[in-house]
Amino acid sequence: MTSKQASINIKKLLIQAEKYIKSAEIDKALLIYEEIINIDNTNYDAHFSKGLIHTNLKNLEEALKSYGLAIKFKPDFEKAYINRGVILQTLMRPIEALEDFDLATQFNPNSEMAFNNKGNVLTELSRFDEAFQSYDKAVKINPNYANAFNNIALLKLLLGEYKEGWKLFEWRWKGPQQNFFHDFNKPLWLGVEAINNKTILIVAEQGLGDFIQFYRYCDLVEKLGAKIIIQTPKELYSLIQYQNKNKNNIIINQDEPLPKFDFYCPIMSLPLAFKTNINNIPSSLPYLKIDHKKLMLWKSKLIVNKRTKVGIAWSGAPNKETDYNRSILLNQLSSLFDLPIDFYSLQKEIRNEDKDYLLNSDNIYDYHKQIKNFSDTASLMSQMDIIISVDTSVAHLAGALNKPLWILLPYVADYRWMVDRIDSPWYPSATLFRQKEPNNWNGVISSIARSLRSYI
């Protein structure tokens, strides 16, 4: 095949691959890119496109190889460095990720995306001043770069700079949450207008744990004399509906038609509306109640003995962007299960990699097939002496119920857990067990095991 014929064939194949991608037939597109590479191994665009597909398929090691080959044949390939850096960060290789983002900025000093991603890695490494500098470079390059402003907000909240943090957090609607933004053709309420005798829609957003954490503000809205419509994730509907037992609020699922209202406020904008700082976080606990009938039902399921009962949750939703930095394998907690304590799984979903260990364990009671929603989880949780959880919605539920809560946290945790603290102003019943170095859970688990021995 001549060079000219090869070039013509590659152009035809690229058109075919694009058609497959548009129709979501990515396996077929992958084969096309491999065919292109067989014709011309130096085709960096084909290697890069393979990397994109492997990233989407969660084949991260294959994605690394493809981006590496793209860079080999195009050493100044900025986007390949950025994408490889993101993969390396996900694989808990932050120093290598940092190197890739630095290379991207060398080849393109105006790459706001590279500076933003560099800031994310520096944050995870607890290099906060450098992270701010990197984010600042991103927004100087692009003053409308919402993702960078959102990350500045999260870093400020992490460091307890709530006044500026909550304000900047509104950038999320132009950045990471833009696909979820809904224009209700009604005024957005952020605490300015009087809402006495008005109806306000509280909009569900982001994760289940986020909703549980900020649900506490609904009582404050009600005290302002407003009638409230609370848009609730379906997994939380029965739990939140029960909270409304003696109130006049309207509880609706996220996919239900909306009643008439005068104002709306996303639930995670309520801290801004109420000018929240570290000293005035609503702390009337517990702020969630449990359905008595369900409580009795779940109480009857448990074995009656005098041993300490510990509820455990070791993984969250796998689609969360930072799940790599919070979820663990069940077998990593094996040293706990040797203790003469009864452990109860609070997981509704069990990952494939944990199923065999759970099935073969003689000291973990598993009810995941009977847990239908968070009302069930709350009822089971209420029977526990202690809740041990990674940073997931189960932890927020335990905190809202004011149960003794021990949380396993990464080296630099999510903004709500702040820095260096072993306690939480959001959940007074919580004790925080933090990694001493990135990606090392051994010390955390050993500390928890030592603390558990006092309950034997």
Side-chain angles (χ1 to χ4, degrees):
M1 184 185 300
T2 66
S3 176
K4 185 176 180 179
Q5 287 174 323
S7 179
I8 292 170
N9 285 346
I10 287 172
K11 286 181 180 179
K12 290 179 179 178
L13 289 168
L14 285 171
I15 293 170
Q16 192 175 352
E18 285 298 317
K19 288 180 179 178
Y20 283 136
I21 288 172
K22 286 179 180 178
S23 61
E25 298 177 273
I26 56 177
D27 289 338
K28 291 181 180 179
L30 187 59
L31 292 174
I32 296 296
Y33 289 125
E34 288 174 351
E35 190 174 344
I36 293 171
I37 290 166
N38 285 334
I39 297 171
D40 177 13
N41 186 49
T42 67
N43 191 300
Y44 50 81
D45 282 326
H47 286 297
F48 180 78
S49 296
K50 272 187 69 177
L52 291 175
I53 291 174
H54 283 305
T55 301
N56 289 332
L57 293 173
K58 307 296 184 185
N59 300 330
L60 301 188
E61 292 294 344
E62 288 299 319
L64 278 185
K65 291 178 185 177
S66 293
Y67 292 136
L69 287 167
I71 290 166
K72 177 181 177 181
F73 299 117
K74 184 176 171 56
D76 62 347
F77 201 160
E78 172 206 346
K79 289 184 179 178
Y81 284 113
I82 292 173
N83 287 14
R84 190 172 69 174
V86 171
I87 298 294
L88 288 166
Q89 185 180 3
T90 303
L91 293 173
M92 301 301 293
R93 293 158 64 179
I95 301 303
E96 294 170 79
L98 204 55
E99 291 172 357
D100 269 355
F101 296 137
D102 276 335
L103 286 166
T105 61
Q106 286 177 29
F107 290 116
N108 180 7
N110 292 315
S111 177
E112 67 262 36
M113 187 180 294
F115 281 114
N116 180 57
N117 282 290
K118 179 180 177 181
N120 292 342
V121 176
L122 289 167
T123 296
E124 287 189 7
L125 291 170
S126 192
R127 293 160 60 177
F128 302 132
D129 288 342
E130 293 174 80
F132 275 126
Q133 291 169 14
S134 197
Y135 292 138
D136 286 343
K137 287 179 181 177
V139 297
K140 282 178 182 175
I141 295 166
N142 180 0
N144 294 309
Y145 191 24
N147 282 7
F149 279 115
N150 184 73
N151 287 329
I152 293 170
L154 294 176
L155 183 49
K156 284 183 175 293
L157 293 173
L158 176 73
L159 297 175
E161 299 173 26
Y162 276 13
K163 183 177 181 179
E164 186 67 17
W166 295 124
K167 288 179 182 177
L168 289 173
F169 195 45
E170 293 301 300
W171 276 93
R172 69 192 184 278
W173 298 115
K174 295 180 181 179
Q177 292 293 305
Q178 61 182 324
N179 293 334
F180 301 97
F181 177 77
H182 185 83
D183 185 0
F184 293 103
N185 293 317
K186 293 288 183 179
L188 168 66
W189 184 76
L190 293 177
V192 177
E193 300 86 352
I195 54 174
N196 185 43
N197 296 322
K198 300 292 185 180
T199 300
I200 182 168
L201 170 68
I202 306 300
V203 183
E205 58 164 313
Q206 301 196 38
L208 301 176
D210 298 302
F211 186 94
I212 293 169
Q213 179 180 1
F214 297 110
Y215 174 77
R216 70 185 74 202
Y217 285 91
C218 291
D219 279 346
L220 299 186
V221 177
E222 189 177 2
K223 288 176 181 177
L224 294 176
K227 181 178 179 181
I228 310 174
I229 303 166
I230 304 176
Q231 189 188 58
T232 308
K234 62 181 180 180
E235 297 91 341
L236 293 168
Y237 180 80
S238 63
L239 180 67
I240 300 302
Q241 181 66 60
Y242 187 78
Q243 312 310 308
N244 198 45
K245 195 172 182 180
N246 299 314
K247 297 182 179 181
N248 296 316
N249 299 332
I250 298 172
I251 312 299
I252 61 171
N253 270 318
Q254 277 180 294
D255 54 358
E256 284 188 71
L258 294 172
K260 292 181 179 180
F261 57 93
D262 302 300
F263 295 93
Y264 78 95
C265 182
I267 197 164
M268 295 181 73
S269 292
L270 289 172
L272 173 62
F274 285 96
K275 298 179 173 57
T276 303
N277 59 50
I278 294 298
N279 299 314
N280 67 3
I281 292 171
S283 57
S284 178
L285 292 159
Y287 60 84
L288 290 179
K289 297 175 292 185
I290 300 172
D291 185 327
H292 183 72
K293 290 181 180 178
K294 277 206 170 183
L295 180 62
M296 292 299 101
L297 175 65
W298 277 95
K299 192 172 184 178
S300 68
K301 295 176 184 290
L302 272 59
I303 294 173
V304 178
N305 61 35
K306 293 183 179 180
R307 299 214 312 182
T308 298
K309 294 181 177 65
V310 175
I312 55 171
W314 60 92
S315 62
N319 59 346
K320 185 177 173 64
E321 188 177 341
T322 56
D323 186 64
Y324 67 90
N325 202 26
R326 61 159 183 173
S327 293
I328 61 176
L329 295 171
L330 178 58
N331 64 18
Q332 289 180 263
L333 297 173
S334 59
S335 61
L336 307 185
F337 306 138
D338 294 332
L339 299 172
I341 286 172
D342 290 334
F343 292 89
Y344 291 80
S345 168
L346 300 173
Q347 300 277 154
K348 186 176 183 295
E349 304 291 339
I350 307 297
R351 298 187 185 188
N352 289 333
E353 54 266 37
D354 294 321
K355 287 180 178 178
D356 285 345
Y357 189 93
L358 184 60
L359 183 65
N360 294 319
S361 173
D362 57 2
N363 197 21
I364 306 174
Y365 298 95
D366 174 33
Y367 295 97
H368 81 274
K369 292 182 179 179
Q370 299 175 56
I371 296 174
K372 304 302 180 186
N373 52 50
F374 274 79
S375 184
D376 292 308
T377 307
S379 298
L380 174 58
M381 186 181 287
S382 70
Q383 304 302 306
M384 300 295 110
D385 298 300
I386 304 167
I387 309 299
I388 297 175
S389 177
V390 296
D391 180 11
T392 186
S393 53
V394 168
H396 290 280
L397 181 60
L401 293 170
N402 207 30
K403 295 291 294 183
L405 168 64
W406 299 356
I407 309 179
L408 293 80
L409 293 178
Y411 180 60
V412 174
D414 186 79
Y415 72 89
R416 71 202 80 219
W417 309 118
M418 307 185 71
V419 178
D420 295 332
R421 296 180 67 136
I422 63 170
D423 66 336
S424 168
W426 293 94
Y427 301 115
S429 67
T431 303
L432 312 182
F433 293 79
R434 298 176 182 270
Q435 289 181 349
K436 301 299 183 186
E437 58 186 17
N439 199 28
N440 186 349
W441 290 108
N442 295 336
V444 172
I445 295 166
S446 295
S447 294
I448 288 176
R450 285 194 297 271
S451 297
L452 269 181
R453 288 191 182 97
S454 63
Y455 288 84
I456 296 173

